[in-house]
Amino acid sequence: MASTSNQGKPNISLSSLPLQILLYLNSWYFAFFWIAELLMYIYKGSVLPYPAGNLTAELILLILMAFVESTRIFLGKKGNLTERKIGLLVSVGLSIPITFCLLFLLLWQTYVLRAELITCGIELAFIAIEAIFSIAAVLTFQKYESAL
């Protein structure tokens, strides 16, 4: 809803509600994903024979992934709510390393469980849809700035 500012010009909220909802849902889903992935690593480490160092390297990747993904979601939420392009663009940029981490979990880790295929696929879908909505929001912010 547009309100009027002190100079009589309408203040229009340009924040993307679908993007904000996706980021909110993804923050909860990533928490579930991370815990499930950690439990699957505990299962794989106790049942399956891992080469020396592989389990440790994959767990370190999982921890780094948590830091990058939480930063990506935080910057996406703040960039959308404050209508700042830089936050959304950095969020889109951080989706690239997260995508590579997820591809590693899907394709190149030592053992891939069916549950990992499903959870990683859902997370990849979240990231792809959020990137599309983030770019659309950046274009909307740019269009509004150039119209002023």
Side-chain angles (χ1 to χ4, degrees):
M1 183 164 132
S3 64
T4 57
S5 66
N6 294 340
Q7 293 130 0
K9 296 179 185 175
N11 289 333
I12 299 171
S13 176
L14 300 175
S15 296
S16 172
L17 180 62
L19 174 61
Q20 199 66 24
I21 291 170
L22 280 169
L23 288 167
Y24 175 78
L25 292 175
N26 193 13
S27 65
W28 283 102
Y29 179 75
F30 186 75
F32 160 76
F33 169 82
W34 197 82
I35 291 169
E37 195 68 36
L38 187 63
L39 292 173
M40 285 186 263
Y41 273 116
I42 291 170
Y43 167 75
K44 291 190 290 187
S46 63
V47 173
L48 301 171
Y50 258 88
N54 281 16
L55 184 62
T56 306
E58 291 175 7
L59 285 173
I60 289 172
L61 176 73
L62 190 64
I63 292 169
L64 291 174
M65 186 178 169
F67 287 119
V68 174
E69 180 68 3
S70 61
T71 303
R72 185 188 74 81
I73 290 173
F74 174 78
L75 289 173
K77 284 181 179 180
K78 292 300 175 186
N80 185 36
L81 290 176
T82 59
E83 299 174 6
R84 305 272 185 217
K85 294 181 286 189
I86 191 71
L88 286 174
L89 290 174
V90 171
S91 176
V92 170
L94 286 175
S95 4
I96 295 169
I98 291 297
T99 301
F100 282 121
C101 288
L102 288 168
L103 287 176
F104 174 81
L105 292 176
L106 279 172
L107 304 173
W108 300 304
Q109 69 175 325
T110 307
Y111 298 106
V112 181
L113 302 176
R114 183 169 293 153
E116 287 176 312
L117 292 174
I118 295 167
T119 57
C120 288
I122 293 170
E123 183 65 22
L124 278 171
F126 264 119
I127 290 173
I129 295 169
E130 287 170 5
I132 292 168
F133 276 105
S134 294
I135 292 170
V138 167
L139 293 175
T140 301
F141 300 161
Q142 182 63 36
K143 182 179 174 185
Y144 184 73
E145 281 181 10
S146 64
L148 294 177

